[in-house]
Amino acid sequence: MAERVLIIGSGGREHSLAWKLAQSPLVQQVLVAPGNAGTADNGKVSNSAVSVSNHSILAQYCKDHNVGLVVVGPEAPLAAGMVDDLTAAGVSCFGPSAKAAQLEASKSFSKEFMDRHGIPTARWRSFTDPQEACSFIQSAEFRALVVKASGLAGGKGVIVAENKDQACRAVRDIMQDKTFGAAGETVVVEELLEGEEVSCLCFSDGCTVALMPPAQDHKRLLDGDLGPNTGGMGAYCPTPQVSEDLLQKIRETVLQKTVDGMRQEGSPYVGVLYAGLMLTRDGPRVLEYNCRFGDPECQVLLPLLKSDLYQVIQDTLQGRLALSAPTWQENSAAVTVVMASGGYPGDYKKGIEITGLSRVKELGLQVFHAGTLLKEGRVLTSGGRVLTITAVDRDLPTALQNANKGVASVQFQGAVYRRDIGHRAIAFLQQPRALTYKDSGVDIAAGNALVDLIKPLAAATARKGCSAELGGFAGLFDLKAAGYIDPILVAGTDGVGTKLKIAQECNKHDTLGQDLVAMCVNDILAQGAEPLFFLDYFSCGRLDVGVASSVIAGIAEACKTAGCALLGGETSEMPGVYPPGEYDLAGFAVGAVERDRMLPRLDSIAAGDLLLGIASSGVHSNGFSLVRKVLQRVCLQYSSPAPFGAAGQTVGEVLLTPTKIYSKLLQPILHSGAVKAYANITGGGLLENIPRVLPKTLAVDLDACLWKIPEVFSWLQREGQLSEEEMGRTFNCGLGSVLVVGREAADEVLRELKNHEEAWVIGTVTLQQPDRERVLIRNLLRSLQSGSRGTPVSTGLRSGAPQNCAPERRARVAVLISGTGTNLQALMEQVKKPWSSAEIVLVISNRPGVEGLKKAARAGIQTRVVDHKQYGSRAEFDSTIEQVLEEFSVEVVCLAGFMRILGGPFVRKWSGKLLNVHPSLLPSFKGVNAHRQVLQAGVRVSGCTVHFVAEEVDAGAIIVQEAVPVMVGDTEDSLLERVKEAEHRAFPAALELVASGTVRLGEDNKIHWNTQEQH
């Protein structure tokens, strides 16, 4: 569900934020308070008259108007604690806390902070007495000619004097004449640094910094850097004076050190961090911090941002920048020119009409309003800096030329502007210099930056036998340390195919890593091997660090899912081999299996054995050349709403659903000895992959009515007019893997599989008949055309028996919560699957305004608040909840972090329909503080239990359990996080078992499994 966003501010920065956020398909509406003429009723964007100074009123406004995110533009509200107050009221807000914003709000604090943490800056002293400040200026051993008001002064509180007398006059103006008001009660006197001034900004999630391209502001009013100091008369980006090596140095010595220092001091920095730097002969030195986007830097940065800004903000707020770095346009430059009122930065007239704005749009340029207002259909001036005109082009000179054309098209009386924005960069580019390797298209610094980004990701995949530290010539793995006695090594290699093309066109790269790992580790499972380590190969024409780090972060995360270490890899930059924006991937997985556990066990496979199918997530990573051909035939774009998959998804989103990784699920099952063979359904589909694990004398008989076929396959068959054979030989048709098991073991194996994944008995092993295909798939076309949802069958399946392919009715589910609803999110993700047997129709909370209610509302689920504080007794509270459940015809109730004990009559009435999850392996460690009990008892295994609710606490019949090892050094918090991940898998699995009728609570209060065919 699309979000409503509120932006605080009224300048060009805020207009550019609104412009960029409105481009996101995840954003329904952008409100700007108070806004300007450019943000008034402009498509998705409109102004709001809400008071931004009263944070309580603002918080209530956000709740009343379903505002899901507040973005604070200027510095004053940040320093006033707006983020703190809104967050405390339950409103998501982007920007640093008041404590973190001291970096900008107090120059003396920021200088002391830099000194504490060894961040390079100019020598300085702060003063509250003007006479002491002047005495210091006269006697300082360095040129103490920079005088700053310590507080916030709207970007104008810095005076750079030409001599000591001017510096002393500046002190008196600020401290005695109150030029900048209360901001000048303390002044900072600094050393005058010489060099090039640049602005380096980044997103920070409190731990990770994600760099933006460096920019340069122009503070002086007139061309040639003459005239008085201003808030900024223009900017350009990127700055060629800042090399990749220098940018990485700034990241490490300034930005990352700042974020680390704030975290160490108890004020994690979350938001945009801006470092104003002087590039001196001794290296970069920090002039000042800003705690938000600069203005006008924002107007050149956001037009170069390729990523969805709303998604970047969410990744920042949720601490995901290490896994999903924003990406930026390459081989492009942006220039913005500020048009100011006559008399600025002093006194100026307001209410002057502005004309020619439509001409700027015709030139393909962007106007960002600042000091403007809309009156009777006319745009009038209302501030000093009136508007900015931004141009993006292939290079800086062209972008400047176009921006100046735009400025010439706009008229208002007395307009002041510069014509030389970027003049230092243009002069720098015109200097003759020697060729470098980078000039040939190979950027070693970018490669090194990528390695720095991915080192911690790889290290997080370490496992027994391997430390997963990158940087050596080769990686090492110790089989003995991993516990192997008589191992056979198993290796596999694969790629992602033309699924890459879709990812590149959709600019979505974070899921490809899972595809790559899955394609390799799922293959080596066919020999029964445990994946031990993984190597990747990333090749491109020009290395985009953001894209590459996103891909490799996905690889690292997938390695953790698979249980293998990311031991190393190769990044190859080959100019001329790949077109701009394209890259290729290859993966290499190495595993091991004890000699006596190798698969397939060909000698034991016999006619009559059963085939169990495990659900795929969709197309996985094979057949995409044909998929793209079908899309081309029907003229469907990747951005189009998908005619298949979950509601609200685009074609690209459905097709980029990552390949499932089966290793952790199947390892214990394969090692149990119950499985005779495993086939990964990869390239070649069902027809070619199953025979690879069978004796030549045997074949298989499958019935497509027995498993759920995702809608995407039905659509592909219909629109491509694909034959049954083409479908069976190209696609997995809903089955990611197939197991061969004996009939006597099938029930137990199927039960174990269903604890974690959708799985079915899909057919039998038969004798190979002369002149017949080895894989017979009955009812495939019929199932594709009718949209098979899969029918549970007994393991006594009669070969070739006709089955009912009609969809089953979904059980109506309510979820009861009290807070953030983390398990609620997992349940909602489960029921989105088209084959789910459940439908969440209602979310009830006993507390108003909690995050879980917002999650449900965003997903389009009805919500109700039944506040326990409003009821005189538990019976009255329970009765109200019961009435609401009846109103929505609820059949199953899930307790997901519901912090109220339900009474006996309620529990008895909902017996067998009421599910709860407990953070331990029941019956051990019942009640509260389960993790503390686990750690005090010293057990080595904990986990979670999903059970039916009984009157006795945590005593109901157990549906699903998942074990979680207790690690050495675990704390309650670290154990809680890992158990919570297990809950997110176990609870949806249990819900499916109950909703589908596979599990029920018998009259004896015990679990009963139903493996009989249901219609």
Side-chain angles (χ1 to χ4, degrees):
M1 186 174 178
E3 196 80 89
R4 180 174 284 119
V5 179
L6 172 65
I7 297 172
I8 306 300
S10 62
R13 166 182 50 222
E14 287 72 41
H15 187 185
S16 61
L17 284 165
W19 169 79
K20 190 66 178 180
L21 283 166
Q23 296 171 15
S24 172
L26 304 173
V27 173
Q28 172 193 13
Q29 183 184 16
V30 181
L31 301 171
V32 188
N36 54 46
T39 54
D41 299 320
N42 186 358
K44 283 186 183 180
V45 182
S46 58
N47 289 337
S48 169
V50 63
S51 169
V52 297
S53 57
N54 188 316
H55 298 173
S56 298
I57 293 175
L58 183 61
Q60 191 59 50
Y61 173 88
C62 292
K63 293 176 181 179
D64 292 344
H65 292 79
N66 296 316
V67 172
L69 173 67
V70 176
V71 179
V72 184
E75 61 274 18
L78 295 170
M82 178 178 285
V83 172
D84 309 70
D85 293 341
L86 293 184
T87 302
V91 178
S92 179
C93 193
F94 180 67
S97 65
K99 282 188 176 180
Q102 289 181 94
L103 285 174
E104 179 174 6
S106 171
K107 299 291 190 299
S108 56
F109 170 86
S110 67
K111 299 294 284 190
E112 290 168 356
F113 174 86
M114 284 185 270
D115 285 351
R116 285 196 300 274
H117 294 279
I119 297 168
T121 187
R123 290 176 285 182
W124 67 285
R125 283 276 302 276
S126 66
F127 300 93
T128 55
D129 180 272
Q131 188 58 47
E132 289 181 10
C134 289
S135 297
F136 175 77
I137 289 169
Q138 296 294 339
S139 61
E141 61 183 20
F142 53 84
R143 293 202 300 161
L145 299 179
V146 180
V147 181
K148 297 181 177 180
S150 182
L152 296 176
K156 304 171 190 174
V158 179
I159 297 173
V160 180
E162 295 182 2
N163 53 54
K164 294 179 180 181
D165 290 340
Q166 279 190 11
C168 289
R169 190 178 309 122
V171 168
R172 289 190 290 271
D173 288 345
I174 295 173
M175 303 190 76
Q176 294 177 341
D177 297 342
K178 305 295 184 184
T179 304
F180 303 116
E185 290 178 358
T186 299
V187 296
V188 171
V189 178
E190 278 187 10
E191 174 185 13
L192 177 64
L193 299 176
E194 293 183 352
E196 193 85 26
E197 194 171 338
V198 296
S199 306
C200 287
L201 291 82
C202 67
F203 293 99
S204 166
D205 61 14
C207 292
T208 301
V209 298
L211 287 174
M212 303 183 201
Q216 188 174 65
D217 186 10
H218 292 62
K219 288 292 187 184
R220 297 288 185 172
L221 181 69
L222 304 174
D223 287 351
D225 293 322
L226 301 175
N229 211 26
T230 70
M233 292 301 294
Y236 68 93
C237 178
T239 54
Q241 304 94 313
V242 180
S243 66
E244 284 294 333
D245 286 341
L246 180 56
L247 187 59
Q248 291 308 313
K249 181 177 181 179
I250 291 167
R251 182 181 74 83
E252 294 166 7
T253 63
V254 175
L255 297 172
Q256 189 65 59
K257 269 193 173 184
T258 302
V259 171
D260 292 344
M262 293 302 291
R263 187 174 68 253
Q264 292 163 13
E265 296 191 7
S267 302
Y269 193 100
V270 178
V272 171
L273 177 62
Y274 170 137
L277 302 164
M278 184 70 79
L279 305 182
T280 73
R281 291 181 179 179
D282 298 322
R285 296 287 183 269
V286 178
L287 298 175
E288 64 176 357
Y289 290 114
N290 289 334
C291 292
R292 32 73 191 181
F293 275 108
D295 187 341
E297 288 93 341
C298 191
Q299 291 92 302
V300 290
L301 284 164
L302 293 186
L304 295 178
L305 178 63
K306 287 170 62 177
S307 300
D308 183 321
L309 178 59
Y310 176 82
Q311 188 61 60
V312 173
I313 290 174
Q314 292 298 333
D315 289 341
T316 304
L317 292 173
Q318 295 167 26
R320 295 199 304 252
L321 286 179
L323 297 175
S324 186
T327 59
W328 303 85
Q329 289 187 37
E330 294 186 343
N331 302 318
S332 296
V335 172
T336 195
V337 178
V338 172
M339 299 186 72
S341 296
Y344 174 80
D347 296 333
Y348 50 84
K349 291 182 179 179
K350 299 181 181 179
I352 299 172
E353 184 175 4
I354 306 167
T355 60
L357 295 173
S358 60
R359 173 61 181 153
V360 179
K361 292 185 177 180
E362 291 172 5
L363 293 172
L365 308 176
Q366 186 63 44
V367 178
F368 294 119
H369 289 244
T372 64
L373 60 84
L374 201 59
K375 186 175 182 180
E376 298 176 354
R378 298 185 303 156
V379 178
L380 307 179
T381 66
S382 66
R385 291 191 295 173
V386 176
L387 53 83
T388 70
I389 294 176
T390 300
V392 177
D393 219 299
R394 64 184 183 277
D395 56 43
L396 185 60
T398 307
L400 174 59
Q401 183 181 19
N402 290 336
N404 285 338
K405 286 181 182 177
V407 169
S409 302
V410 177
Q411 292 87 37
F412 60 90
Q413 184 181 352
V416 178
Y417 51 88
R418 290 181 59 159
R419 299 167 182 80
D420 66 343
I421 302 301
H423 66 93
R424 291 192 189 90
I426 293 171
F428 176 85
L429 291 171
Q430 291 172 347
Q431 294 174 1
R433 57 191 181 92
L435 286 175
T436 65
Y437 201 6
K438 186 176 180 180
D439 293 321
S440 70
V442 179
D443 192 340
I444 294 175
N448 292 336
L450 176 62
V451 173
D452 288 342
L453 282 173
I454 64 179
K455 273 184 177 180
L457 303 177
T461 69
R463 50 154 295 159
K464 284 185 178 179
C466 173
S467 64
E469 291 185 6
L470 302 184
F473 287 101
L476 303 175
F477 194 95
D478 187 339
L479 284 168
K480 187 174 181 180
Y484 283 91
I485 299 169
D486 184 21
I488 298 293
L489 291 178
V490 181
T493 183
D494 213 329
V496 183
T498 55
K499 190 173 187 177
L500 281 168
K501 300 284 287 186
I502 299 177
Q504 289 159 7
E505 291 191 39
C506 294
N507 193 29
K508 180 173 173 55
H509 313 277
D510 56 332
T511 57
L512 290 176
Q514 179 168 329
D515 288 312
L516 187 66
V517 173
M519 294 294 285
C520 298
V521 300
N522 288 346
D523 272 354
I524 67 174
L525 281 174
Q527 271 63 51
E530 173 196 15
L532 300 178
F533 61 86
F534 190 84
L535 304 168
D536 70 88
Y537 177 78
F538 182 100
S539 57
C540 58
R542 178 183 174 86
L543 181 61
D544 183 320
V545 174
V547 170
S549 63
S550 180
V551 172
I552 297 171
I555 293 173
E557 194 64 29
C559 284
K560 288 196 285 187
T561 301
C564 61
L566 178 55
L567 193 57
E570 168 71 7
T571 302
S572 179
E573 196 170 17
M574 297 183 284
V577 175
Y578 296 93
E582 292 193 7
Y583 56 87
D584 200 2
L585 292 173
F588 311 87
V590 175
V593 59
E594 296 290 359
R595 193 179 301 272
D596 58 357
R597 289 181 173 178
M598 289 178 61
L599 292 178
R601 295 189 284 120
L602 296 175
D603 293 342
S604 68
I605 302 174
D609 285 342
L610 296 181
L611 299 174
L612 306 184
I614 306 175
S616 69
S617 59
V619 185
H620 278 187
S621 299
N622 297 105
F624 274 91
S625 294
L626 181 54
V627 170
R628 292 166 58 233
K629 193 70 176 178
V630 174
L631 292 173
Q632 184 181 359
R633 169 183 281 194
V634 298
C635 300
L636 200 60
Q637 305 297 315
Y638 298 128
S639 58
S640 303
F644 41 77
Q649 286 187 295
T650 65
V651 171
E653 287 170 341
V654 176
L655 295 178
L656 289 175
T657 301
T659 309
K660 283 187 177 179
I661 296 173
Y662 298 108
S663 54
K664 281 194 175 178
L665 163 65
L666 290 180
Q667 279 296 313
I669 298 173
L670 297 182
H671 290 169
S672 71
V675 176
K676 299 180 179 183
Y678 158 93
N680 182 30
I681 309 304
T682 181
L686 295 166
L687 296 183
E688 294 187 5
N689 285 293
I690 298 176
R692 296 166 70 178
V693 299
L694 296 176
K696 292 184 178 179
T697 57
L698 297 177
V700 296
D701 188 334
L702 310 180
D703 190 336
C705 286
L706 302 181
W707 72 85
K708 297 173 183 176
I709 299 180
E711 192 179 356
V712 62
F713 295 112
S714 299
W715 185 88
L716 287 167
Q717 186 278 324
R718 182 176 65 252
E719 298 299 334
Q721 298 180 317
L722 306 178
S723 67
E724 274 189 306
E725 181 178 5
E726 198 67 43
M727 291 297 299
R729 197 175 301 281
T730 306
F731 299 116
N732 66 62
C733 296
L735 298 176
S737 58
V738 173
L739 308 182
V740 181
V741 298
R743 285 178 179 268
E744 70 286 351
D747 277 336
E748 182 60 35
V749 173
L750 185 62
R751 186 178 300 116
E752 183 62 29
L753 290 173
K754 283 187 171 183
N755 282 339
H756 305 280
E757 286 283 356
E758 289 282 298
W760 312 269
V761 177
I762 61 169
T764 59
V765 177
T766 62
L767 292 173
Q768 172 64 38
Q769 300 298 322
D771 303 321
R772 287 189 62 177
E773 295 289 339
R774 297 189 69 195
V775 178
L776 172 64
I777 310 178
R778 303 177 188 272
N779 300 313
L780 179 57
L781 192 59
R782 174 187 170 195
S783 298
L784 287 164
Q785 292 174 346
S786 65
S788 170
R789 289 177 48 79
T791 304
V793 298
S794 73
T795 52
L797 172 73
R798 180 167 59 84
S799 176
Q803 304 293 331
N804 178 14
C805 295
E808 303 169 44
R809 189 180 66 84
R810 289 187 166 202
R812 295 174 65 82
V813 178
V815 184
L816 274 57
I817 64 169
S818 294
T820 57
T822 54
N823 276 317
L824 167 64
Q825 186 66 44
L827 294 171
M828 291 194 303
E829 291 299 323
Q830 177 66 25
V831 301
K832 284 181 183 178
K833 299 174 181 177
W835 54 83
S836 174
S837 298
E839 175 188 11
I840 298 177
V841 297
L842 175 66
V843 172
I844 300 176
S845 173
N846 66 306
R847 294 171 54 203
V850 297
E851 181 62 27
L853 291 173
K854 298 176 184 178
K855 290 179 180 178
R858 288 195 292 267
I861 299 171
Q862 291 287 325
T863 62
R864 293 290 186 272
V865 175
V866 182
D867 190 341
H868 62 279
K869 297 177 182 177
Q870 306 298 318
Y871 297 88
S873 67
R874 179 190 294 176
E876 188 181 351
F877 173 71
D878 289 357
S879 175
T880 304
I881 290 200
E882 198 169 307
Q883 290 173 18
V884 179
L885 295 176
E886 290 175 356
E887 176 190 344
F888 284 83
S889 303
V890 169
E891 299 166 285
V892 179
V893 178
C894 295
L895 306 182
F898 186 63
M899 305 305 291
R900 304 298 298 172
I901 296 176
L902 296 164
F906 185 98
V907 172
R908 287 193 296 274
K909 179 170 182 177
W910 286 88
S911 178
K913 305 171 187 176
L914 189 58
L915 282 65
N916 185 42
V917 62
H918 182 75
S920 76
L921 294 177
L922 293 175
S924 299
F925 310 115
K926 295 181 179 180
V928 298
N929 301 321
H931 302 305
R932 185 180 304 169
Q933 295 180 58
V934 167
L935 294 174
Q936 289 174 347
V939 299
R940 305 315 308 156
V941 177
S942 184
C944 66
T945 302
V946 186
H947 60 94
F948 286 115
V949 175
E951 289 188 67
E952 182 184 345
V953 174
D954 298 332
I958 294 171
I959 307 167
V960 170
Q961 289 185 308
E962 180 169 334
V964 174
V966 180
M967 312 298 288
V968 175
D970 254 339
T971 64
E972 287 185 52
D973 289 340
S974 63
L975 181 58
L976 179 149
E977 288 303 316
R978 294 205 312 285
V979 171
K980 185 66 71 176
E981 291 177 6
E983 290 179 11
H984 296 343
R985 296 186 291 271
F987 211 159
L991 175 59
E992 286 297 335
L993 291 173
V994 174
S996 66
T998 305
V999 161
R1000 63 181 177 84
L1001 184 67
E1003 294 182 1
D1004 56 0
N1005 288 323
K1006 294 182 178 179
I1007 293 291
H1008 288 249
W1009 289 83
N1010 179 15
T1011 57
Q1012 298 303 310
E1013 180 176 353
Q1014 299 176 358
H1015 297 283

